[in-house]
Amino acid sequence: MVEKSLVLIKPDAVERNLIGKIVDAYESNGLKVIAMRLLKVSEGLAEIHYKEHEGKAFYKSLIEYITRSPLCALVLEGENAISEIRRINGATDPKAAEANTIRSLYAIDKTENSVHASDSKESALREISLWFPEVINKLELEHIS
Ligand code: CMP
């Protein structure tokens, strides 16, 4: 099934000029970039995006990290995109990530782990609506016409 997912190439990766290598990992696995934006995230957007982690021990350092310098937000589309992107990314903790996954190659630690991706259809819809409302609007218009 063709799906869409939200990916963030996070500040640690953008700071180390890894956007090209990371996008190549997705594209060479058959995924298509359908939206892309470089932005320095506000605390407000970071808090909404990471709402489910509020109150956890790492929450404060996660918000500081994700807002400290620009990140690259993307919408990727492809066959089983949600699970495929999570496979390409590897485990949250780079020490546990499979060889040759993005996190095994580039992540620094559990927080500065280079990439984020939606973990379900529901979170993909929520996250794409938050970061790229125009993509959702376009889908709705296509559906109506
Ligand atoms: P992400 O996939 O963006 O989703 C939540 C983020 O919180 C995660 O990647 C990491 O950046 C961070 N994170 C998750 N678990 C931990 C942890 N145990 N310690 C520190 N940071 C974490």
Side-chain angles (χ1 to χ4, degrees):
M1 181 194 295
V2 175
E3 295 174 335
K4 292 180 177 55
S5 184
L6 179 92
V7 167
L8 303 177
I9 303 176
K10 295 176 172 180
D12 69 281
V14 175
E15 286 164 5
R16 290 177 289 145
N17 299 342
L18 293 169
I19 294 175
K21 288 196 174 78
I22 292 175
V23 171
D24 182 52
Y26 298 128
E27 289 184 330
S28 50
N29 277 283
L31 292 152
K32 189 153 195 68
V33 177
I34 62 162
M36 189 175 199
R37 178 177 301 144
L38 192 71
L39 73 161
K40 190 165 182 295
V41 177
S42 66
E43 231 172 87
L45 176 57
E47 285 171 359
I48 297 170
H49 176 78
Y50 280 129
K51 199 171 178 1
E52 66 182 288
H53 298 294
E54 197 180 345
K56 293 185 183 167
F58 59 83
Y59 180 73
K60 193 166 172 281
S61 56
L62 175 60
I63 299 297
E64 278 169 12
Y65 153 63
I66 211 74
T67 57
R68 80 174 178 214
S69 63
L71 58 69
C72 182
L74 310 110
V75 179
L76 296 179
E77 184 177 76
E79 200 58 39
N80 301 316
I82 294 168
S83 58
E84 185 60 5
I85 292 166
R86 290 176 71 77
R87 182 189 67 74
I88 296 166
N89 286 354
T92 302
D93 182 352
K95 286 194 209 117
E98 295 255 317
N100 290 319
T101 56
I102 290 172
R103 285 168 171 156
S104 78
L105 293 169
Y106 306 124
I108 294 169
D109 58 30
K110 256 194 236 176
T111 295
E112 301 203 19
N113 63 355
S114 301
V115 281
H116 163 85
S118 309
D119 64 5
S120 64
K121 274 182 194 294
E122 293 69 33
S123 65
L125 182 60
R126 184 182 87 83
E127 293 176 359
I128 295 169
S129 307
L130 183 62
W131 293 81
F132 292 96
E134 68 275 20
V135 171
I136 301 294
N137 291 343
K138 186 170 172 287
L139 285 178
E140 280 169 0
L141 284 174
E142 282 169 2
H143 190 67
I144 290 164
S145 60

